[in-house]
Amino acid sequence: MDYEGYACSGHPDLNSSVKKGRFVIEMIGRGWLVKRVANTTNKEVTRRTNKTVPRMNDPIRIVPLHLPSELYRPSAGIAALPAAQLTYRGGPLLDSVKVFSIFWGQVWQTSPNSDLANQINQFFRFAVSSALIDQLAEYSVPSQPIGHGSFIGTVTITQPTLFHAVTDAAIQKMLQQEIKSNSSIPQADANTLYFIYLPPGTAVVQGGSRSCQAFCGYHDTFGSGIYYAVMPFPNCAGCLGGLTNLDALTTTSSHEFCEAITDPVPGQGWYDDTHGEIGDICAWQTKKMGNYTVQLEWSNRDASCK
Ligand SMILES: [Zn+2]
């Protein structure tokens, strides 16, 4: 069980987390990793699926902000972290992912945002059967060989109306209700991954942290195995990383896409206790794949981001 984010001194939510367990705070990649250590038991892992467990106890994987290199370069004399090595924790994988995108807010219906939404959907049509998935094959397990997936559709919703911020709880509620009542949205199965895009000007508040202040996206699961990722609009330099809106969103979306495939229940799939999930280790290192900018992902086999 751990909570990752940028360690701001006096962060109220961080403080409440610290009270619940033993934490270390360390500099990793381009951000501070705040880790709860050595107190996860199998019993606790099982309890994560119980709705009465506070959300604060869940490991949530985020895309951290892009920061100038001066801010994340270790000071002289600080020992290097151990090399990353993801290990499999026995949980589900999305072995043939089915991506469905949900664009939330009226602004997605008109240009230029509608064009951006179309381009993101094109990206997923490409990504689900691309080398991005092929490189995840090393994380196959005998009962769940990771293969190509499919893009199963998209929808724009305008209700509920969004304002300056929306909570993760409100996003889950929206998703659950839409799955129940909106015939355009498919029911969740063991491979369905909903990608939820927020409009410009709406931040997401998750675990007491806020997009553009602490993170640029995350993935998680709730209920009886509904897998989802939340992608706030890159309204800030920290979530643009010097890229265009499209390139920033394909970068952060590819990060969450690969993490959701290899660790759909955060911490129960492929995970590294020090470094986190597959995308966290390589955050904001990008490459071109087809026409798209995507993030590098950690390879155990090559011991590098690729
Ligand atoms: Zn991540």
Side-chain angles (χ1 to χ4, degrees):
M1 295 190 183
D2 44 35
Y3 175 84
E4 185 190 4
Y6 279 83
C8 315
S9 58
H11 193 296
D13 189 61
L14 194 59
N15 289 341
S16 70
S17 308
V18 169
K19 282 177 199 146
K20 291 179 184 173
R22 195 160 64 82
F23 274 72
V24 294
I25 300 177
E26 59 198 358
M27 205 168 205
I28 173 171
R30 302 190 175 193
W32 291 97
L33 183 67
V34 182
K35 291 203 61 64
R36 183 172 180 156
V37 292
N39 60 354
T40 302
T41 65
N42 288 338
K43 199 173 162 197
E44 285 174 308
V45 169
T46 308
R47 283 180 65 237
R48 280 183 200 150
T49 56
N50 182 329
K51 281 182 188 166
T52 62
V53 175
R55 300 297 304 167
M56 202 57 244
N57 283 351
D58 292 347
I60 303 284
R61 311 319 305 170
I62 58 160
V63 185
L65 298 182
H66 182 274
L67 292 175
S69 58
E70 305 78 64
L71 294 182
Y72 59 81
R73 188 180 300 135
S75 306
I78 292 181
L81 289 169
Q85 180 72 25
L86 300 166
T87 57
Y88 178 56
R89 315 296 165 99
L93 306 175
L94 304 188
D95 57 15
S96 48
V97 67
K98 293 156 75 175
V99 173
F100 188 89
S101 63
I102 299 173
F103 293 87
W104 191 354
Q106 211 155 12
V107 298
W108 290 110
Q109 292 176 327
T110 48
S111 190
N113 296 310
S114 54
D115 306 323
L116 183 59
N118 286 335
Q119 288 171 306
I120 290 167
N121 289 336
Q122 282 301 118
F123 162 70
F124 280 121
R125 281 189 190 95
F126 165 80
V128 292
S129 55
S130 71
L132 191 59
I133 294 225
D134 296 336
Q135 75 184 67
L136 303 180
E138 68 174 283
Y139 299 108
S140 293
V141 296
S143 60
Q144 299 177 88
I146 296 173
H148 288 182
S150 51
F151 176 71
I152 58 171
T154 184
V155 73
T156 297
I157 61 166
T158 56
Q159 295 293 329
T161 304
L162 286 170
F163 298 100
H164 292 306
V166 61
T167 63
D168 181 53
I171 291 169
Q172 290 186 4
K173 190 175 167 196
M174 174 283 289
L175 182 55
Q176 198 153 35
Q177 287 182 347
E178 290 291 323
I179 291 170
K180 210 182 282 179
S181 62
N182 186 340
S183 59
S184 312
I185 299 184
Q187 298 296 308
D189 71 12
N191 275 299
T192 310
L193 175 60
Y194 302 96
F195 261 87
I196 298 159
Y197 288 84
L198 300 178
T202 298
V204 55
V205 177
Q206 176 259 82
S209 299
R210 195 179 175 98
S211 58
C212 266
Q213 289 178 4
F215 61 87
C216 307
Y218 60 92
H219 77 96
D220 201 4
T221 183
F222 71 98
S224 51
I226 296 176
Y227 304 118
Y228 69 110
V230 177
M231 309 310 303
F233 201 89
N235 291 301
C236 54
C239 292
L240 270 174
L243 304 171
T244 63
N245 285 336
L246 177 64
D247 289 347
L249 281 170
T250 57
T251 296
T252 52
S253 298
S254 62
H255 175 130
E256 298 305 333
F257 178 71
C258 294
E259 291 188 342
I261 289 171
T262 53
D263 193 33
V265 181
Q268 293 187 29
W270 287 92
Y271 194 76
D272 178 301
D273 285 327
T274 302
H275 301 273
E277 294 180 327
I278 183 171
D280 303 325
I281 305 163
C282 313
W284 290 102
Q285 300 177 47
T286 61
K287 65 180 174 185
K288 211 73 177 168
M289 189 173 273
N291 295 324
Y292 301 101
T293 302
V294 298
Q295 201 204 275
L296 304 189
E297 309 294 333
W298 179 256
S299 167
N300 271 353
R301 205 179 46 201
D302 295 0
S304 66
C305 293
K306 69 171 196 180

